[in-house]
Amino acid sequence: MLFVWYPNCSTCKKAKAFLDIRGAAYTARDIKADRPAEAELRAWQAADGLPLKKLFNTSGQLYKSLALKDKLPAMGEDEQFALLAGDGMLVKRPILVLDDGRVLVGFKEAEWAAALGQ
């Protein structure tokens, strides 16, 4: 599994602890230091089936400072993906990419437990 997180994020820390307690084998990737490429983001969004807007970290400072709440509705999909790929801090986290290709965006303990078969 691939665990994409930001080490300073409290929700990400909870998700990491959740995985560690269960002994889950995963590769951790810091979203700020090694941001997802546009192709990865597109694949994750398609696998997750969520609306593209759900990939944005709407609580983040960068999202707010860029006034994306008002700008996103007028942006095309390509522009939104380019924006997400340009700065990992715009991407909602944590992201768990399961070995079977399923993708979980954001940490919801019950959802993650079900995905891990626990």
Side-chain angles (χ1 to χ4, degrees):
M1 288 186 293
L2 175 63
F3 176 61
V4 184
W5 72 315
Y6 180 55
N8 293 341
C9 166
S10 60
T11 302
C12 291
K13 289 177 185 177
K14 288 178 193 172
K16 184 177 185 314
F18 173 89
L19 294 172
D20 291 343
I21 288 168
R22 285 157 179 77
Y26 63 88
T27 301
R29 179 169 154 195
D30 182 333
I31 200 164
K32 187 170 183 176
D34 186 9
R35 67 180 183 260
E38 186 174 331
E40 284 179 300
L41 292 163
R42 287 181 182 274
W44 295 344
Q45 190 265 335
D48 189 0
L50 286 175
L52 181 53
K53 183 183 181 210
K54 295 288 184 180
L55 276 181
F56 281 87
N57 176 17
T58 57
S59 334
Q61 294 174 356
L62 185 56
Y63 181 90
K64 292 174 183 175
S65 71
L66 294 174
L68 292 178
K69 178 182 176 187
D70 300 321
K71 294 178 183 176
L72 278 183
M75 287 182 168
E77 189 175 279
D78 290 342
E79 192 176 1
Q80 289 182 47
F81 274 116
L83 202 59
L84 287 166
D87 194 317
M89 298 308 286
L90 283 175
V91 181
K92 184 172 181 82
R93 55 198 180 263
I95 298 171
L96 187 64
V97 182
L98 301 164
D99 293 334
D100 65 6
R102 287 180 294 152
V103 178
L104 305 176
V105 178
F107 179 59
K108 296 178 188 116
E109 188 170 333
E111 181 183 10
W112 283 41
L116 295 176
Q118 299 179 355

